Amino acid sequence: MSNGKKSIVYSFLRGSFLTDESSFKNWRILIFVVALLLLMIYSAHSADAKVVKIAELNKKKRELRAEDVDTSTQLMKMKLESSIRDKVKTKGLYPAKTPPQKIKVIYNKE
């Protein structure tokens, strides 16, 4: 390596580009880059937190869906005529021997 290239690398490693008279331009760019990096890190963490929350909500949704299906199955079993007959048999109620009849009420307005 030539002596000129060694001196550029050496001055860069020493940080003289930040302490020269024209270093104000370098500091502005450096601060801007650091601000962009911080913004990028914040947005990445925010996105990760949202992904975790979405996963938790999906898990809860699946659990609630399973509970809903289970509850509706139990309700359907409870609504069956045979299960209702068994429950009211203990109270002394039995199905009617004759089918129900429709009663029509006619109301005359006078």
Side-chain angles (χ1 to χ4, degrees):
M1 224 194 299
S2 71
N3 208 7
K5 287 184 181 179
K6 274 187 180 180
S7 115
I8 292 174
V9 172
Y10 184 69
S11 67
F12 179 77
L13 290 175
R14 277 190 17 212
S16 63
F17 68 98
L18 295 174
T19 58
D20 291 346
E21 298 89 33
S22 64
S23 67
F24 184 67
K25 289 186 241 175
N26 296 338
W27 276 105
R28 285 191 299 177
I29 291 173
L30 244 148
I31 290 172
F32 178 70
V33 168
V34 167
L36 285 179
L37 288 174
L38 290 175
L39 182 66
M40 188 177 79
I41 291 170
Y42 170 76
S43 66
H45 284 298
S46 175
D48 287 342
K50 288 177 184 176
V51 166
V52 168
K53 184 166 183 152
I54 287 171
E56 289 172 358
L57 290 174
N58 280 334
K59 182 179 177 185
K60 188 173 182 178
K61 182 183 84 168
R62 284 192 302 269
E63 290 172 359
L64 290 174
R65 179 56 125 172
E67 183 181 341
D68 177 52
V69 168
D70 186 42
T71 305
S72 60
T73 304
Q74 289 176 357
L75 178 64
M76 291 301 288
K77 287 180 183 177
M78 290 172 63
K79 283 177 151 182
L80 289 175
E81 185 179 349
S82 58
S83 65
I84 293 173
R85 279 185 185 176
D86 291 340
K87 287 182 183 180
V88 296
K89 217 180 249 186
T90 59
K91 298 183 182 195
L93 296 174
Y94 296 98
K97 301 217 187 295
T98 59
Q101 297 178 358
K102 218 181 234 187
I103 301 174
K104 291 185 180 179
V105 177
I106 301 172
Y107 179 69
N108 291 332
K109 239 182 182 180
E110 292 182 32

